[in-house]
Structure formats: C-alpha cells, structure tokens
Amino acid sequence: MKYEEAIDFLFNRTANFELQGVAGYKEGLGNSLALDEHYGHPHEHFRCIHIAGTNGKGSVSHSIAALLQVFGYRVGLYTSPHLVDFSERIRVNGQPVPHDYVADFVDKGKDFFESVNASFFEITTAMAFKYFQDVNVDIAVIEVGLGGRLDSTNIISPVLSVITNISLDHTQLLGTSIEQIAMEKGGIIKPGVPVVIGEATPETRVVFDALAQEAKSPIIYAEDEQEIISSTVVPEGRLYKAKHLGDFKGELQGNYQEKNMNTIVVAMHQLVNLGYMCDCIDPENNRMVQQEMCEALQNVSTITGLMGRWQTIRQSPLVVCDTGHNIGAWEYLGKQIESVKCKRLRIVFGMVEDKDVYGVMALLPKNATYYFTKGSTKRAFPESSLKVFGDQFGLKGECYPSVKEAYQAAISGASSDDFIFVGGSNYIVADFLKSRA
C-alpha cells in the first residue's frame, strides 16, 4: 500500500468526525481498548502528558513538547487536526511520522480495523501510540481530539493532565451547558495524577473540584498561581513579565497566548516537581534557567512544526492566518484584528456548520471588507449563507467558492499597507496553507 492509498482508506473508508460531523463521531472507548489490546498496549511503554480544553490545547501541547525537547527528552507529540499533511498529527522531536510508516501500519491493520469498524480517529490514535513505542520516545504529549471522557486518547495513564479552558463548543456532542462540557473534559482527570486547569469559572470549578476530589488528584488552578503578570507584542512575538521567571520572550503572538503561557509555565513547574526537566532549575536561587526555556518558547514553531496560530505569512501587505473557530477564540481574535494599524482591513472568512456561526459573526470587526468562502469539507457552512448572516451584522463583502479564490481576490486588491486576515476554521487555514505549498 502506498501512502496515498493509506490516506484514502483513513479518510474515505472509516467514520470521520472531521469530515462528516456528528455522523462520523463514535462514542465510547470500546474500539480504542480493542486496538490497544491488538497492538500490545503500546502506551504503557512511555510516559504521557494529557491535554484537553476548548481552546489553546494545540498551543499548550506544542509549547510543552518544545520545552521537554530542549531539555533533552525524546518527545512524541500527537495533535489534531492537521493543516497540510496527515503526518503532522504524529511527531517525534518535531519530525512528522514517515509516510512509509503510515502506509505500512494501515496496510497491515486494515482487516482488523474493518472487523471492529474502527473510526479515523481511533485508528490514528492507535498509530500514534504504536509509533511512539517503536521509536522509543521518553515522553509523549497527547492532545485530546474531542471532549475527554470518551475520547480515544483517554486510555492512557499520564503523569500530568492539563485542561486549558472550557467554553461552549461541540454542544451537540458534549452538552449544552458549561458544566456538562466541563464534566466531559474533566474526564481526563486520573486517580492520583495532578491536573492543571488553565482557566476556570465558578461553574467549572465546582465540577473540576468534585472530579479531582473523587480521584484524589492534586488540582492546580493556573489563574490562582498567576505566573504571567503581563505581556506585550514585540516583533519577535510577545514579551512576558513573569512572577518567578522574570522577563522572557515567546514566539506565539496571539493575544490569547498570554493565558496559554500562564498555563504552560504552571504546568512546567508541576513537571519539575514530578522530576522532569530538573536541569532547568538553578540550585543557587531556585529559579528556572532562562536560556533553555527561552530557546524553546521562542522557537516553538521550528521545534515542533506548529502552524496557524496568529501565523504571519507575509509583511507587505501584512497577511496573518489563525485557526480560531469558536466564540472563545474570537473574543480575543476580533479585538486583536481591530488593533492592527492598517490602511484597509480585509478578511478571508469561513466556518463549519456545527459551530456557533451566528455567535462568532457577532464578534467580527465591522470595519473590514469580507471575502466569504468555504473550506474543503462536507461540514463547510455555505459562503452564500455567511454573506446573509454578515448582512445582519453590517459585514460587507462578496462570496468565493474556494479559499484560494477568496485570498487571490483579497491580495489582488490590496495595497502594501493593508492587512489581510485568513481564518474562521481549521479548514480555511488548511486550504490557505496548502494553496501556498
């Protein structure tokens, strides 16, 4: 089997939530446990960090992986979705899983996958765990796919759990209240395993406290620690002022990264307490060594391959893309886009139909020219419907059948001091980056 044939099998012959929405979602851990048994429980051969949350889990996962890697660990990283190529989902020390490994894994396993009717994500998770075992990683950072309690990744026994935040998303699957969603994502809390909560509300604290008490798990609220005092945008990213780390720079520029960085630093302290990255502590003053930490946080994208987080594509005109796709993300993105000084703001925008399209569009900047479009997925919200919604909020623009055509229209009409933002969905950013590859 060739790589292209393996990818065709995964995407077109299995249930796939990313392409099919609710129809492609399989609830329960039965298949994950069957796959785990079939491959000899590979996740038991390396240590794990488990990361869930509505927003920020990708940035947090990649940043923690970068920190561990710089301090000498052989690090596995499992995230989703990919933007350009499937192999991005499974990395070791930043390098994507080889295409030959993917093809061989699917070729040898397809009969078993079909016998248990395994889904795309169940197979991909099993592949990641087996690959991490085969290449002898020291530790793997595992990002939850959807929810937590019933997610395919939730068969692991991590050394640390992290829940970045909770907001209303995937309500048709996870529940229609913040408390219900917190219960689902809090399902990754394991007996005796410390859990870091990045952001919480009074409603979600009640849920997390109860789950942690039941599991006898130490619970740390990053907001209570408040390691990050403030941050400002600088050309290289963001300059942070921190309680215990002093001043340092981080590469990722989005305004939401200040909250993420607080979660990352608190999680890093917990890992040190657990015996990891001990070399990062200066024994004379008990402070973290900044040189190695800054090397990691200033080069997260290079070290781990992270893309699509307030990613600058070009400078003149300024072009930025971001995968933020729900209200929680756009509460930050809308304000940050409006803060960029430019002659004219142009936004290439699309969403998927199972998100709160109306809620997000209420947060979009009014002073922009819009290029409404759709991504390459059956879940795409029609661009014509986006325009109708946009009219209700005073968002003026035209429709384009593809991201490539929308961006070409935006760039062709732009002057050197305009600002073009591309986003609204992972699929919009993915199509955009692919069109430039």
Side-chain angles (χ1 to χ4, degrees):
M1 181 178 283
K2 296 180 180 179
Y3 177 70
E4 294 75 17
E5 294 172 318
I7 296 303
D8 178 72
F9 175 89
L10 291 173
F11 278 91
N12 298 317
R13 292 172 59 185
T14 65
N16 188 335
F17 171 78
E18 291 178 18
L19 294 183
Q20 302 166 352
V22 175
Y25 177 69
K26 295 188 66 179
E27 187 176 274
L29 297 177
N31 278 350
S32 296
L33 292 169
L35 287 161
D36 188 52
E37 174 74 23
H38 180 74
Y39 287 107
H41 311 291
H43 68 90
E44 296 178 357
H45 294 265
F46 51 87
R47 294 160 289 176
C48 300
I49 299 167
H50 207 186
I51 301 181
T54 304
N55 294 303
K57 60 183 181 291
S59 296
V60 171
S61 296
H62 281 261
S63 297
I64 290 176
L67 284 161
L68 289 164
Q69 188 176 327
V70 165
F71 281 99
Y73 294 90
R74 186 167 174 79
V75 184
L77 176 61
Y78 179 49
T79 59
S80 61
H82 66 272
L83 291 178
V84 178
D85 186 82
F86 170 85
S87 62
E88 298 165 24
R89 295 168 179 258
I90 304 170
R91 295 178 180 269
V92 172
N93 280 9
Q95 296 302 308
V97 59
H99 286 188
D100 288 348
Y101 187 95
V102 175
D104 186 63
F105 183 87
V106 174
D107 189 34
K108 291 179 178 177
K110 62 182 185 299
D111 290 342
F112 182 74
F113 304 153
E114 291 177 332
S115 72
V116 297
N117 195 27
S119 71
F120 171 90
F121 194 73
E122 289 166 344
I123 297 169
T124 303
T125 302
M127 184 191 306
F129 293 171
K130 186 66 172 70
Y131 181 61
F132 293 156
Q133 177 193 9
D134 288 347
V135 298
N136 297 312
V137 302
D138 298 313
I139 191 166
V141 180
I142 307 297
E143 179 190 328
V144 166
L146 193 157
R149 182 175 65 93
L150 298 176
D151 187 74
S152 297
T153 63
N154 204 28
I155 62 172
I156 62 176
S157 298
V159 298
L160 177 69
S161 303
V162 179
I163 301 173
T164 57
N165 54 44
I166 303 295
S167 65
L168 292 174
D169 198 13
H170 298 300
T171 53
Q172 72 277 36
L173 298 173
L174 303 181
T176 56
S177 71
I178 289 293
E179 293 87 347
Q180 288 175 319
I181 295 174
M183 182 67 72
E184 291 301 315
K185 294 185 186 293
I188 71 166
I189 297 174
K190 298 295 195 304
V193 176
V195 57
V196 171
I197 308 296
E199 300 176 63
T201 65
E203 294 83 4
T204 60
R205 280 186 183 243
V206 171
V207 175
F208 292 142
D209 284 343
L211 291 171
Q213 182 177 5
E214 182 180 357
K216 295 182 172 57
S217 299
I219 186 167
I220 304 95
Y221 289 97
E223 290 176 317
D224 294 348
E225 303 295 318
Q226 203 55 50
E227 286 290 340
I228 300 300
I229 299 169
S230 65
S231 72
T232 55
V233 176
V234 295
E236 303 84 9
R238 299 190 78 87
L239 177 63
Y240 292 93
K241 290 186 177 297
K243 184 163 64 176
H244 290 108
L245 302 178
D247 294 353
F248 68 94
K249 291 178 182 177
E251 173 192 19
L252 306 181
Q253 288 191 338
N255 287 352
Y256 49 84
Q257 296 297 349
E258 183 174 311
K259 292 280 191 180
N260 288 340
M261 186 60 74
N262 193 61
T263 303
I264 291 161
V265 174
V266 172
M268 187 166 59
H269 277 289
Q270 291 304 310
L271 287 170
V272 171
N273 292 340
L274 291 166
Y276 299 88
M277 300 187 295
C278 294
D279 291 342
C280 75
I281 299 294
D282 184 342
E284 293 186 5
N285 57 21
N286 199 35
R287 290 171 65 91
M288 287 195 173
V289 179
Q290 280 201 343
Q291 182 178 353
E292 287 84 354
M293 183 196 72
C294 288
E295 179 186 344
L297 297 178
Q298 288 183 32
N299 298 281
V300 172
S301 298
T302 301
I303 293 171
T304 68
L306 178 64
M307 296 185 289
R309 274 64 173 186
W310 198 264
Q311 180 180 351
T312 300
I313 303 300
R314 61 181 286 176
Q315 293 289 347
S316 182
L318 177 63
V319 178
V320 170
C321 64
D322 194 283
T323 57
H325 54 267
N326 54 35
I327 290 176
W330 274 93
E331 286 175 342
Y332 289 93
L333 283 174
K335 295 175 183 177
Q336 185 165 8
I337 291 169
E338 289 183 317
S339 73
V340 176
K341 294 180 180 179
C342 62
K343 182 178 179 180
R344 189 171 182 181
L345 173 59
R346 303 170 185 271
I347 298 180
V348 176
F349 182 81
M351 292 189 68
V352 291
E353 61 186 4
D354 52 1
K355 301 297 181 182
D356 185 356
V357 178
Y358 204 81
V360 168
M361 294 191 78
L363 300 170
L364 297 180
K366 303 288 192 293
N367 61 328
T369 299
Y370 282 86
Y371 302 79
F372 298 113
T373 187
K374 62 177 180 293
S376 300
T377 172
K378 294 178 181 178
R379 295 164 57 206
F381 196 76
E383 66 273 26
S384 57
S385 298
L386 284 175
K387 189 176 186 305
V388 171
F389 275 30
D391 288 340
Q392 298 179 48
F393 292 105
L395 309 178
K396 302 303 180 184
E398 299 300 328
C399 298
Y400 299 86
S402 71
V403 176
K404 183 177 181 178
E405 290 169 272
Y407 176 69
Q408 286 176 340
I411 198 72
S412 65
S415 62
S416 60
D417 47 3
D418 283 359
F419 173 33
I420 300 173
F421 178 86
V422 181
S425 164
N426 283 298
Y427 301 101
I428 298 297
V429 174
D431 285 0
F432 172 59
L433 294 176
K434 289 173 185 174
S435 72
R436 299 176 54 82

